[in-house]
């Protein structure tokens, strides 16, 4: 009987202790969940920050690549066509009633450097005021001879071939020469003029 | 050991075949050029940007070219109105012979003269005929060396697929 009583009492004490423990456990679980949620939020914001910084890194890298590309381009241009020895030749046309341009052949110091065929669209663009850079070269300082041969259709749609020549002095610094085709109305003939840009 | 050797030989054959079939120009921007045409006007490749362009290098002394050209002319007549252009580039030293052959064959596509062989050098022409297909963006997509009956079917498929892009 006493044994039974003792065991009943023990069970009762155990039940009470379990219920107390359970009551204590609820707030512990809520705290843990809250802490977990907070840590998840923190990690999410951390990953977002990381993503943002990665994105910024990519943007910076992209900008650096573009800058590098620009620098390389300029460097290549400077190396291939140093400004001091650079000579550029341009073709322009004024009116063009007496001449239909077909091609231009350029010789510098007796050596052919360019032979450009013009399509009707390109010739039309020149008549409309366009200027075409037909050749770019590097020349030493001193005198050089330029011969430009123009072929096309002249007055009365006849095959026409004319040359123009100039001896120019290449000083220090870039040089620009314009090969201009104009109409000489009085003679009803085209005229080919080579001009040095100042 | 024998199996290993035969696999190696097979791989070598496959590699060699693929290197012959592909050209260094495929996938590259098509080198631009301007040439005088049989009609007397100058034509420039870059002015055809936006169209699918076939460049066919040919010569009067080339038998397969004579066979191929009327078939190419049929393709040109059929697809010209939907953005397909064909430029025949003749590499003879004397353009009069080429003009005679064009008249004989009665082809209607523009024929250009590359007597100085500058354009054929640009396109690494080492066989006759060579047919190059350029897409709407101006990139070389297919290069065919030589001609055998049945190639026109291949051209047709490729032209149609490039026109659809």
């Amino acid at each position: 009987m006493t044994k039974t009583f003792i065991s009943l009492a023990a069970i009762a004490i155990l039940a009470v202790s379990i219920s107390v423990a359970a009551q204590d456990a609820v707030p512990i679980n809520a705290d843990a969940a809250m802490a977990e949620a907070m840590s998840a939020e923190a990690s999410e914001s951390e990953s977002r920050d990381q993503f943002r910084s990665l994105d910024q890194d990519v943007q910076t890298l992209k900008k650096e690549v573009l800058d590098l590309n620009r620098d390389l381009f300029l460097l290549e241009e400077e190396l291939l066509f140093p400004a001091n020895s650079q000579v550029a030749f341009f073709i322009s046309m004024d009116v063009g009633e007496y001449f239909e341009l077909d091609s231009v052949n350029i010789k510098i110091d007796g050596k052919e450097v360019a032979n450009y065929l013009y399509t009707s669209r390109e010739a039309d663009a020149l008549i409309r005021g366009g200027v075409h850079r037909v050749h770019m070269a590097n020349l030493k300082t001193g005198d050089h001879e330029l011969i430009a041969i123009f072929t096309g259709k002249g007055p009365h749609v006849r095959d026409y071939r004319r040359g123009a020549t100039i001896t120019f002095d290449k000083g220090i610094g870039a040089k620009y020469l314009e090969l201009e085709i104009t109409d000489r109305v009085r003679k009803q003939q085209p005229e080919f003029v080579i001009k040095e840009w100042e | 050991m024998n199996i290993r050797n035969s696999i190696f030989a097979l791989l070598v054959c496959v590699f060699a075949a693929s290197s012959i079939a592909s050209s260094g120009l495929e996938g590259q921007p098509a080198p631009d050029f301007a040439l005088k045409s049989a009609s007397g006007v100058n034509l420039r490749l870059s002015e055809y940007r936006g169209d699918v362009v076939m460049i066919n290098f040919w010569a009067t002394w080339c038998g397969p070219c004579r066979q191929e050209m009327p078939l190419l002319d049929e393709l040109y007549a059929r697809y010209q109105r939907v953005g397909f252009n064909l430029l025949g580039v003749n590499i003879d030293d004397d353009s009069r012979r080429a003009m005679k052959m064009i008249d004989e064959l009665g082809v209607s596509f523009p024929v250009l003269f590359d007597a100085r062989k500058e354009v054929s050098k640009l396109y690494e022409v080492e066989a006759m005929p060579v047919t190059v297909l350029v897409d709407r963006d101006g990139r070389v997509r297919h290069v065919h060396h030589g001609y055998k009956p049945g190639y026109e079917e291949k051209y047709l498929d490729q032209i149609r697929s490039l026109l659809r892009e």
Side-chain angles (χ1 to χ4, degrees):
Chain A
M1 184 69 181
T2 321
K3 266 184 188 174
T4 318
F5 178 74
I6 289 167
S7 37
L8 277 174
I11 289 165
I13 288 165
L14 193 67
V16 168
S17 68
I18 285 169
S19 77
V20 169
Q23 276 175 2
D24 285 349
V26 172
I28 287 169
N29 280 348
D31 283 351
M34 195 173 283
E36 207 173 291
M38 278 173 75
S39 86
E41 205 172 291
S43 77
E44 196 181 313
S45 93
E46 197 179 314
S47 70
R48 208 179 298 143
D49 285 348
Q50 269 179 354
F51 184 71
R52 204 172 293 149
S53 98
L54 195 68
D55 190 43
Q56 275 166 358
D57 285 353
V58 169
Q59 290 301 329
T60 316
L61 201 65
K62 211 188 266 182
K63 194 184 169 299
E64 278 172 15
V65 168
L66 286 174
D67 289 350
L68 194 67
N69 196 27
R70 184 202 56 205
D71 291 349
L72 274 172
F73 177 77
L74 292 174
L75 194 67
E76 191 186 340
E77 210 173 46
E78 276 168 27
L79 284 172
L80 290 176
F81 301 104
N84 277 346
S85 57
Q86 198 181 90
V87 183
F89 302 94
F90 298 91
I91 302 284
S92 71
M93 247 181 141
D94 191 18
V95 189
E97 222 166 275
Y98 302 117
F99 188 68
E100 198 182 307
L101 181 63
D102 182 78
S103 70
V104 174
N105 184 288
I106 292 175
K107 284 181 184 161
I108 300 172
D109 301 328
K111 195 180 164 196
E112 185 184 297
V113 292
N115 186 38
Y116 197 91
L117 284 182
Y118 287 87
T119 63
S120 44
R121 273 191 205 177
E122 287 170 323
D124 191 43
L126 287 176
I127 292 169
R128 285 164 190 263
V131 176
H132 174 228
R133 191 179 73 187
V134 69
H135 184 63
M136 194 152 87
N138 288 103
L139 295 176
K140 288 180 192 165
T141 52
D143 283 350
H144 295 276
E145 188 197 36
L146 164 75
I147 300 171
I149 297 161
F150 301 85
T151 50
K153 299 273 181 209
H156 312 295
V157 207
R158 280 190 193 147
D159 285 343
Y160 204 94
R161 188 181 160 90
R162 276 279 295 275
T165 181
I166 188 174
T167 302
F168 62 93
D169 177 40
K170 169 75 182 72
I172 298 167
K175 183 126 203 141
Y176 303 103
L177 292 165
E178 183 184 350
L179 290 76
E180 193 187 20
I181 305 164
T182 52
D183 282 345
R184 193 185 275 181
V185 183
R186 214 170 46 185
K187 283 192 173 182
Q188 296 203 328
Q189 290 283 326
E191 192 176 33
F192 303 88
V193 186
I194 301 176
K195 289 196 289 194
E196 287 184 47
W197 286 359
E198 294 303 323
Chain B
M1 190 65 186
N2 271 342
I3 293 171
R4 198 177 291 172
N5 281 346
S6 20
I7 289 171
F8 178 71
L10 188 72
L11 282 175
V12 167
C13 288
V14 167
F15 177 73
S18 65
S19 63
I20 287 167
S22 67
S23 161
L25 276 173
E26 278 177 0
Q28 302 293 317
D32 192 27
F33 61 84
L35 288 171
K36 171 107 20 222
S37 72
S39 65
V41 297
N42 299 327
L43 298 178
R44 183 174 292 279
L45 176 68
S46 55
E47 289 186 0
Y48 291 91
R49 183 69 63 87
D51 281 357
V52 172
V53 183
M54 178 183 262
I55 309 164
N56 178 249
F57 291 90
W58 65 280
T60 49
W61 44 262
C62 153
C65 302
R66 192 176 278 271
Q67 243 181 311
E68 184 189 46
M69 282 168 74
L71 301 168
L72 296 183
D73 198 45
E74 276 175 31
L75 291 176
Y76 175 66
R78 197 157 142 194
Y79 292 103
Q80 192 199 4
R81 61 200 167 94
V82 285
F84 170 68
N85 272 292
L86 174 53
L87 301 174
V89 179
N90 174 264
I91 62 148
D92 281 73
D93 293 332
D94 184 1
S95 60
R96 281 172 299 183
R97 291 169 73 183
M99 293 285 266
K100 202 178 155 202
M101 188 165 140
I102 300 164
D103 282 345
E104 273 171 29
L105 295 173
V107 292
S108 61
F109 58 80
V111 172
L112 317 173
F113 302 114
D114 182 30
R116 293 168 74 153
K117 318 278 186 292
E118 284 169 344
V119 179
S120 41
K121 262 183 216 149
L122 275 178
Y123 281 82
E124 302 161 7
V125 175
E126 287 165 357
M128 240 342 90
V130 167
T131 305
V132 180
L133 267 164
V134 180
D135 68 12
R136 293 184 193 275
D137 295 329
R139 284 191 177 273
V140 174
R141 296 289 290 275
H142 306 283
V143 181
H144 300 276
H145 298 273
Y147 170 77
K148 278 180 192 165
Y151 273 25
E152 63 277 8
E153 296 296 323
K154 219 188 283 180
Y155 299 157
L156 182 72
D157 285 349
Q158 289 170 350
I159 291 166
R160 287 173 68 99
S161 130
L162 290 177
L163 282 171
R164 262 191 227 112
E165 280 180 5

